[in-house]
Amino acid sequence: MLKKALIGRPLKTRELGEQKLGRLKALAILSSDALSSVAYGPEQVLLVLSTIGLIAFWYSVPIGIGVLVLLAALILSYRQIIYAYPHGGGAYIVSRNNLGENAGLIAGGSLLVDYILTVSVSVSAGTDAITSAFPQFHDHKVAIASALVVLITILNLRGVTESASVLAYPVYLFVLALLILIGTGVWQILSGQAPTNVHTPVGTVVPGISLFLLLRAFSSGCSALTGVEAVSNAVPNFKEPAARNAVSTLVMMGFILAILFSGIMFLAYWLGITPKHEETVVSQMASAVFGRNFMYYIVQGTTALILVLAANTGFSAFPLLAVNLATDKYIPRMFLIRGDRLGYSNGIIILGIASILLIVAFGGETEQLIPLYAVGVFIPFTLSQTGMIVKWIREKPASWLYKMIVNLIGTLICLTVVLIFFITKFAQVWSVLIFLPIIIYAFHKIKNHYEAVGEQLRIAPGKEEVLQWEGNVVIVPVAGITKVVENSLNYAKLTGDTVIAVYVAFDPESEKRMEEKWKEWKPDIRLVTLHSEYRSLTRPIARFIDLAMKKAAESNHTVTVLIPQFITKKRWHDALHNQSSLLLRLYLIYQKNVIVTTVPYRLKK
């Protein structure tokens, strides 16, 4: 009942088509990460420039223009990727098909980790926006962030269209609120209402400025472009024609992102906004433009909402990427299973748990993860653009030269950003060089395991002789004379040629009593009593089964261990019973040449 109340009624497989997204809902669910990044991307630029002082803030204008050029290159590049790979997969599929297995795994592994960071960083940033407006909640930010992740996880488990319906309103309210903020701020500047002496004129000479610092600021601003690739990963979620609808959504997202990012960067520069630990740049900007009135709280509320709900981009893209990797046998096949609401619920749940662990581990202070978050996106960006170059050169379709030039420009810019990250922020991103090889190694180990299992399970008629058994020895561990044991023995006599009951006694008196009772109760079934000086049940039975398997093998018999177990009416009663049988089953299930089975006896009360 609780599951149905939280998740909703199960959907039939034929209802899958109803779970596809139109452009407006897709824009809400897939662009929330990219659009929300304008709330912290400009702030990251100012944080770097603030190490020189307010005088250096005019550099945010050319840096912002550079970020917009990169955004345009990425939108054009991913537009081509969507048309070339309309079944989704994004950077992983492009890199794997054109650059080889390991390149694909680097892209896939980077994005998997990045989507976990997307959720934790977005929710933590949203929590910061809440605590900026309501400082009394600052000490509870970890609990608030964790609760928000749980809420978004449940929302996504309810299905793609339902989560998109809920998300659409906050996303569009956020866009509207920021457009009003930017429009009002620009109007105040044009009408002379805004101060003109709080910013440094463009072109002012800044002592101490260096190319290294400017590149570092540029790379920080590029964090505003995270999430651009999500549309290409989620093409299968679109209504038909899926590729065309995905491209339209991508272009709309890029256009809105460009307006919001440039507007926030310009207003922050003109109003002389300085980053503060206790208050975000957007909060200061809204306060300067509107004052602490109703509109200020609208801006803060919608910003907090979209920052939290930006995590939904991760919840939309992570399961689909996991499906591609699981299909290729690089991660567990559990990620291929659709849940009650036709979403890939295992991927959604794993993402939610991993994100909460990250929030708790960093105490909700995930700002230091933003560079790692950004570099985790730009590595796949670079690989996907390079893969497309290889594809165009190899296939030479119509207008291939133009397409190759677009991807070449995208590759060069993305590679430059990656190099800048490693040069200027190595202390924050060095862990990429550690966890990526580990992830790729794990991918290969999982695939090798699946291939080895498949080889062993594959039926090859005529190549090997199947062993035919001549009989079955059934061993029944018993703890006393009960209805449960009687039920199991009756079944054992039906399935076994030889039935042996095994009883473990802790003292001679109990051993003698059991043997006497058994002779009266089941004289036709052999009872073997084992004495355990150290009060262990599992070890004596395990040794006896080992001996029985050796004897059975000599006469070409199988050995089946039939474990009696009663099933309680109420689930919580399970904790009070059957511990010994569970331990014995756990031991035997990993032993060779023994069959383990359970005969349940259901209690009425």
Side-chain angles (χ1 to χ4, degrees):
M1 291 294 291
L2 179 62
K3 179 182 177 183
K4 189 174 182 180
L6 290 174
I7 309 302
R9 68 171 182 84
L11 298 176
K12 296 177 182 178
T13 304
R14 66 170 179 264
E15 296 178 82
L16 182 60
E18 300 172 15
Q19 293 293 302
K20 300 294 185 179
L21 296 171
R23 283 176 290 185
L24 290 179
K25 285 188 175 181
L27 181 63
I29 199 172
L30 295 172
S31 68
S32 53
D33 179 25
L35 296 181
S36 69
S37 62
V38 302
Y40 55 81
E43 184 166 1
Q44 296 301 308
V45 175
L46 297 178
L47 279 169
V48 176
L49 295 177
S50 65
T51 58
I52 297 295
L54 187 63
I55 192 176
F57 279 13
W58 74 265
Y59 279 104
S60 63
V61 175
I63 288 172
I65 293 172
V67 173
L68 291 176
V69 170
L70 176 55
L71 172 63
L74 287 174
I75 295 297
L76 289 173
S77 298
Y78 273 97
R79 178 181 178 275
Q80 295 185 167
I81 288 175
I82 291 171
Y83 280 129
Y85 295 92
H87 299 295
Y92 165 66
I93 296 296
V94 175
S95 303
R96 185 202 65 186
N97 289 359
N98 298 292
L99 302 178
E101 180 182 27
N102 285 325
L105 293 182
I106 291 172
S110 297
L111 285 174
L112 281 183
V113 174
D114 189 68
Y115 290 136
I116 298 172
L117 291 170
T118 295
V119 176
S120 56
V121 169
S122 298
V123 171
S124 296
T127 306
D128 286 340
I130 294 171
T131 56
S132 290
F134 304 99
Q136 62 268 31
F137 295 121
H138 189 270
D139 293 338
H140 306 288
K141 62 189 301 182
V142 173
I144 293 171
S146 300
L148 290 171
V149 172
V150 171
L151 181 64
I152 298 169
T153 302
I154 292 172
L155 180 63
N156 278 274
L157 289 173
R158 292 185 65 89
V160 173
T161 55
E162 192 156 343
S163 61
S165 299
V166 174
L167 275 171
Y169 298 104
V171 170
Y172 291 127
L173 280 174
F174 168 77
V175 172
L176 179 61
L178 280 199
L179 287 176
I180 293 172
L181 171 63
I182 294 167
T184 305
V186 171
W187 169 252
Q188 290 177 357
I189 292 170
L190 294 176
S191 62
Q193 300 175 46
T196 58
N197 58 348
V198 292
H199 62 274
T200 307
V202 173
T204 301
V205 177
V206 180
I209 199 74
S210 66
L211 179 61
F212 180 86
L213 188 135
L214 292 175
L215 291 176
R216 188 179 171 194
F218 172 71
S219 65
S220 296
C222 289
S223 62
L225 304 183
T226 54
V228 171
E229 83 296 335
V231 175
S232 67
N233 284 328
V235 177
N237 277 344
F238 282 84
K239 290 180 179 179
E240 293 296 336
R244 186 182 301 170
N245 286 330
V247 167
S248 298
T249 303
L250 179 71
V251 173
M252 285 191 292
M253 178 184 69
F255 182 71
I256 296 171
L257 178 58
I259 292 175
L260 297 183
F261 179 82
S262 55
I264 294 294
M265 287 294 293
F266 174 72
L267 279 185
Y269 156 70
W270 190 272
L271 298 175
I273 302 296
T274 304
K276 298 178 182 178
H277 178 71
E278 67 278 4
E279 187 177 9
T280 63
V281 163
V282 172
S283 175
Q284 294 180 65
M285 192 180 303
S287 182
V289 172
F290 299 119
R292 293 266 174 164
N293 59 12
F294 176 74
M295 273 308 300
Y296 166 81
Y297 287 102
I298 288 290
V299 170
Q300 280 302 97
T302 56
T303 301
L305 266 177
I306 196 172
L307 282 169
V308 171
L309 296 178
N312 209 76
T313 298
F315 279 100
S316 301
F318 181 96
L320 292 173
L321 176 58
V323 165
N324 282 292
L325 285 164
T327 301
D328 293 337
K329 303 178 182 178
Y330 290 112
I331 60 176
R333 297 185 65 81
M334 60 180 275
F335 289 101
L336 294 173
I337 300 171
R338 290 186 182 272
D340 287 351
R341 302 287 293 179
L342 298 177
Y344 294 104
S345 52
N346 288 329
I348 293 169
I349 292 169
I350 293 296
L351 176 58
I353 293 171
S355 302
I356 290 174
L357 291 175
L358 201 59
I359 289 170
V360 173
F362 284 85
E365 302 286 348
T366 53
E367 292 87 354
Q368 56 191 309
L369 294 177
I370 290 178
L372 188 63
Y373 169 42
V375 79
V377 173
F378 276 93
I379 289 174
F381 280 176
T382 305
L383 289 171
S384 62
Q385 306 310 313
T386 306
M388 292 302 291
I389 292 172
V390 173
K391 176 182 174 64
W392 301 138
I393 292 174
R394 184 175 62 239
E395 298 178 5
K396 291 184 172 59
S399 305
W400 70 272
L401 189 59
Y402 161 76
K403 294 176 180 178
M404 188 198 72
I405 291 173
V406 169
N407 289 122
L408 178 62
I409 294 171
T411 301
L412 293 174
I413 297 175
C414 291
L415 179 60
T416 302
V417 173
V418 171
L419 293 175
I420 291 171
F421 268 114
F422 278 106
I423 293 170
T424 64
K425 299 190 176 186
F426 185 77
Q428 294 168 281
V429 301
W430 63 267
S431 56
V432 171
L433 303 176
I434 303 297
F435 72 72
L436 265 184
I438 293 173
I439 291 173
I440 294 167
Y441 175 76
F443 285 160
H444 282 296
K445 291 292 287 184
I446 292 170
K447 182 167 186 178
N448 290 341
H449 166 76
Y450 275 127
E451 289 182 342
V453 169
E455 184 64 31
Q456 293 177 69
L457 297 179
R458 191 173 294 112
I459 296 175
K463 288 192 175 182
E464 58 182 54
E465 185 179 341
V466 179
L467 182 61
Q468 300 293 329
W469 301 104
E470 296 179 4
N472 184 27
V473 177
V474 181
I475 299 172
V476 185
V478 299
I481 297 174
T482 63
K483 290 182 179 179
V484 185
V485 172
E486 184 177 40
N487 188 51
S488 299
L489 290 173
N490 290 337
Y491 182 76
K493 287 192 287 185
L494 291 174
T495 58
D497 299 287
T498 303
V499 178
I500 303 172
V502 180
Y503 176 74
V504 179
F506 295 156
D507 56 74
E509 290 77 14
S510 62
E511 182 179 353
K512 184 178 179 181
R513 284 197 304 270
M514 183 62 178
E515 288 176 345
E516 290 173 353
K517 290 180 180 180
W518 193 271
K519 285 179 182 178
E520 296 178 7
W521 186 55
K522 293 287 183 183
D524 58 325
I525 296 178
R526 179 186 172 190
L527 175 70
V528 174
T529 56
L530 306 173
H531 183 64
S532 177
E533 293 181 339
Y534 297 100
R535 299 159 304 285
S536 170
L537 288 172
T538 306
R539 277 181 287 179
I541 294 175
R543 284 198 296 267
F544 177 78
I545 292 169
D546 289 340
L547 180 63
M549 285 193 296
K550 292 177 183 177
K551 293 286 186 182
E554 295 174 1
S555 56
N556 202 24
H557 278 55
T558 60
V559 173
T560 299
V561 179
L562 195 155
I563 301 175
Q565 182 174 334
F566 60 86
I567 309 300
T568 57
K569 188 171 182 179
K570 296 181 179 179
R571 291 290 180 89
W572 70 268
H573 291 166
D574 291 342
L576 307 176
H577 306 282
N578 299 317
Q579 281 80 17
S580 298
S581 63
L582 290 172
L583 289 173
L584 182 61
R585 188 185 299 111
L586 185 63
Y587 169 80
L588 293 173
I589 202 74
Y590 292 103
Q591 305 304 307
K592 293 181 179 179
N593 303 322
V594 61
I595 300 168
V596 184
T597 187
T598 300
V599 178
Y601 182 87
R602 288 174 174 79
L603 301 178
K604 296 179 181 179
K605 295 182 181 179

